[in-house]
Amino acid sequence: MLKAGVLGAGHLGKIHLRLLNQSEKYNLVGFYDADEENGKKVEAEFGYKFFNSIDALIEAVDVVDIVTPTLSHYDCAKKAIAKGKHIFIEKPITNTVEEAEHIRELLAENNLRGQVGHVERFNPAFIAAKNDINAPMFIETHRLAEFNPRGTDVPVVLDLMIHDIDIILSLVKSKVKHISASGVSVISDTPDIANARLEFENGCVANLTASRISLKNMRKARFFQKDAYISVDFLTKKCEVVKMKDAPENPGDFDMILQNAEGVKKQIYFDNPEVPDNNSILDELETFADAINNNKTPIVSLHDGTEALRVATQIINCF
């Protein structure tokens, strides 16, 4: 079991603490929080050991789980790497691409492992549909949330849209060649609603919408490709796979048949995979432990986190 410590005991930090504590792959040593009053309150309520300094916690563990505000990710990661510790770092990886690239360099130089908390990669609906998504040519995502003051310290692109950016970059095996975007600040000092269009060198186009001022929550992605349509609902954890194949010569009474202008007939059928039940945050933490123990590249590497941040930053620069 790897000795783990958590930096940051806010809303998400407390979730990480609980899951690391119950995991069979980690031994939770304790946590550090810059707010001493909050730290002692969490210690009293849950029994996790509160460390009085960040350095003391880092010294006591093998893996540092960074769940602090984005602005402090870079400094926390540097301190952990300097002490020879593996790092799990929440998304977005850092505040700037330059900081992210420096962290990657430091990890490589010290032969350490790092993973970024793009948790939607572990969403069971996405996992179930992923193998059916082959060379999508048009992608549409909507990530809408009701207003919550937590997270408004960064633009909605870094708060919400970056989840979908990472998903898309993991699926489209081509470079982004053009980005256009618009964003509007409604309540916060930074954009609360944004739309971006990513054009890839292979011809794929992705249209992303993110909002944190909606009246209802929505987290959906739709993928269109040759002879198939795949829908993934990250919120309800459901997916739908609709495929087309050449129609049989003698279709059944309930077969869905389409015929185009050239007379070509296609059969539409549903091939919905079973969606497993899981805890996505626990899975991302435990697969990181596996990557460390087996000396393998984590599922969401620091390279992945850096590229998602790079595209997110380019989107923000369009505003």
Side-chain angles (χ1 to χ4, degrees):
M1 295 174 72
L2 295 164
K3 291 183 289 184
V6 177
L7 300 182
H11 173 74
L12 186 56
K14 283 187 277 192
I15 294 174
H16 278 230
L17 282 165
R18 174 173 57 83
L19 294 173
L20 287 169
N21 192 47
Q22 74 181 48
S23 172
E24 295 181 357
K25 300 191 177 185
Y26 290 99
N27 173 23
L28 177 63
V29 173
F31 73 100
Y32 168 80
D33 192 273
D35 183 339
E36 186 175 346
E37 183 179 345
N38 178 60
K40 290 184 175 179
K41 180 181 176 183
V42 170
E43 181 181 48
E45 184 175 352
F46 300 103
Y48 312 130
K49 182 179 179 182
F50 172 57
F51 282 73
N52 290 319
S53 76
I54 186 172
D55 293 324
L57 175 67
I58 291 173
E59 285 281 3
V61 301
D62 305 310
V63 179
V64 178
D65 183 5
I66 301 169
V67 202
T68 59
T70 304
L71 287 173
S72 63
H73 284 186
Y74 178 61
D75 287 336
C76 291
K78 279 200 306 180
K79 285 185 177 183
I81 295 169
K83 295 293 184 180
K85 313 299 180 179
H86 305 286
I87 57 169
F88 183 96
I89 190 166
E90 259 308 320
K91 65 83 196 168
I93 177 172
T94 48
N95 193 47
T96 68
V97 174
E98 291 73 24
E99 288 177 348
E101 289 178 337
H102 187 217
I103 293 300
R104 283 178 59 200
E105 290 171 5
L106 291 175
L107 267 185
E109 289 171 4
N110 290 274
N111 195 30
L112 296 168
R113 293 281 176 264
Q115 180 163 317
V116 183
H118 284 288
V119 70
E120 293 289 40
R121 294 267 206 110
F122 300 84
N123 188 296
F126 175 67
I127 292 171
K130 186 169 62 172
N131 289 339
D132 287 299
I133 305 172
N134 301 305
M137 294 310 292
F138 180 70
I139 302 169
E140 189 168 40
T141 68
H142 288 88
R143 189 167 292 263
L144 315 178
E146 298 173 3
F147 183 74
N148 184 339
R150 185 170 53 84
T152 54
D153 56 325
V154 295
V156 70
V157 175
L158 293 177
D159 183 27
L160 297 178
M161 188 184 285
I162 196 166
H163 282 295
D164 298 311
I165 293 170
D166 173 67
I167 289 289
I168 290 168
L169 293 181
S170 75
L171 294 169
V172 181
K173 305 307 179 185
S174 180
K175 291 182 179 179
V176 177
K177 73 171 183 178
H178 182 71
I179 295 175
S180 54
S182 61
V184 179
S185 301
V186 180
I187 297 176
S188 316
D189 293 331
T190 59
D192 297 302
I193 184 167
N195 176 263
R197 177 183 169 94
L198 309 182
E199 298 177 28
F200 293 85
E201 290 181 353
N202 69 350
C204 177
V205 172
N207 189 50
L208 301 85
T209 300
S211 167
R212 58 185 175 205
I213 51 168
S214 296
L215 297 178
K216 64 176 183 178
N217 294 322
M218 178 189 291
R219 304 204 309 255
K220 287 186 176 180
R222 299 173 179 88
F223 305 89
F224 299 84
Q225 62 195 37
K226 178 69 173 174
D227 293 337
Y229 158 76
I230 299 103
S231 171
V232 178
D233 191 323
F234 294 94
L235 188 61
T236 63
K237 296 178 172 57
K238 296 178 180 177
C239 65
E240 185 177 58
V241 178
V242 183
K243 293 183 178 179
M244 297 180 69
K245 63 181 179 182
D246 292 336
E249 285 189 19
N250 299 303
D253 292 340
F254 299 103
D255 288 345
M256 297 176 64
I257 307 296
L258 290 181
Q259 181 174 325
N260 65 15
E262 288 73 37
V264 177
K265 294 181 179 180
K266 293 282 187 178
Q267 178 183 355
I268 298 175
Y269 67 103
F270 295 88
D271 187 20
N272 296 343
E274 184 178 344
V275 178
D277 188 28
N278 78 330
N279 184 309
S280 300
I281 298 177
L282 179 61
D283 280 2
E284 68 176 352
L285 291 168
E286 291 197 333
T287 60
F288 183 46
D290 292 339
I292 294 170
N293 289 326
N294 298 316
N295 202 26
K296 291 186 176 180
T297 301
I299 291 176
V300 186
S301 66
L302 263 64
H303 169 77
D304 296 338
T306 302
E307 293 311 302
L309 178 62
R310 191 188 311 278
V311 171
T313 302
Q314 291 171 340
I315 289 170
I316 294 168
N317 289 340
C318 292
F319 300 159

